[in-house]
């Protein structure tokens, strides 16, 4: 999402939200814990509050992943699969290899680029 699109949502642009939008522009999902690790000075409650607001505005959406924690990603992405790192649990959005039109949800485990190094 661009800053321009963000402004259209009518959200007040705090630096925390600005940063959140930046994170969600990446083709991956985020858990609240992973997000908190990206901020040094923002408490968990603030992160949860901002996530809730973004979710209410349909900017981000929770996804049902295998991992215990709720993962969020940018809303409105076309159908895709998730590659979950078996070491750091990061879920990356990847093209879905399944051609079937019936509803499905594909997740597979593999090391992410950082952990594979
Ligand atoms: Zn990893
Ligand atoms: Zn995704
Ligand atoms: Zn698919």
């Amino acid at each position: 999402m661009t800053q321009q699109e963000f402004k259209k949502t009518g959200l007040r642009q705090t630096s925390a939200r600005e940063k959140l939008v930046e994170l969600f522009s990446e083709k991956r999902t985020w858990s609240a814990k992973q997000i908190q690790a990206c901020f040094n000075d923002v408490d968990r409650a603030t992160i949860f509050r901002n996530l809730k607001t973004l979710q209410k505005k349909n900017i981000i959406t929770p996804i049902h992943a295998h991992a215990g924690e709720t993962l969020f990603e940018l809303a409105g992405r076309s159908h895709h699969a998730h590659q979950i790192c078996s070491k750091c649990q990061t879920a990356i959005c990847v093209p879905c290899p399944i051609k079937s039109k019936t509803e499905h949800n594909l997740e597979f485990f593999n090391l992410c680029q950082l952990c594979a190094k």
Side-chain angles (χ1 to χ4, degrees):
M1 181 169 39
T2 63
Q3 296 298 333
Q4 204 67 29
E5 285 170 316
F6 184 80
K7 279 188 190 123
K8 275 189 245 161
T9 63
L11 287 172
R12 208 161 57 91
Q13 202 156 353
T14 62
S15 57
R17 284 202 191 130
E18 212 170 302
K19 173 105 191 233
L20 275 175
V21 168
E22 211 180 287
L23 294 179
F24 278 107
S25 299
E26 291 176 36
K27 280 196 171 153
R28 53 163 290 180
T29 69
W30 294 92
S31 68
K33 212 183 182 173
Q34 289 171 335
I35 288 171
Q36 198 185 10
C38 299
F39 292 87
N40 315 315
D41 50 349
V42 181
D43 60 65
R44 211 177 165 97
T46 306
I47 291 179
F48 273 112
R49 202 174 52 240
N50 279 290
L51 283 176
K52 217 174 237 173
T53 308
L54 291 174
Q55 199 185 335
K56 237 191 262 164
K57 297 261 178 192
N58 278 323
I59 293 169
I60 60 169
T61 182
I63 62 154
H64 305 288
H66 194 79
E69 269 187 288
T70 309
L71 301 174
F72 293 93
E73 71 176 13
L74 200 63
R77 284 205 174 125
S78 54
H79 175 76
H80 58 272
H82 288 113
Q83 175 194 298
I84 301 166
C85 176
S86 35
K87 200 166 168 195
C88 70
Q89 313 296 319
T90 300
I92 298 166
C93 304
V94 294
C96 179
I98 298 173
K99 295 281 172 269
S100 158
K101 290 258 193 289
T102 49
E103 200 167 313
H104 59 271
N105 189 4
L106 177 71
E107 288 174 5
F108 57 96
F109 290 83
N110 201 351
L111 285 176
C112 73
Q113 273 179 359
L114 283 175
C115 293
K117 263 179 202 160

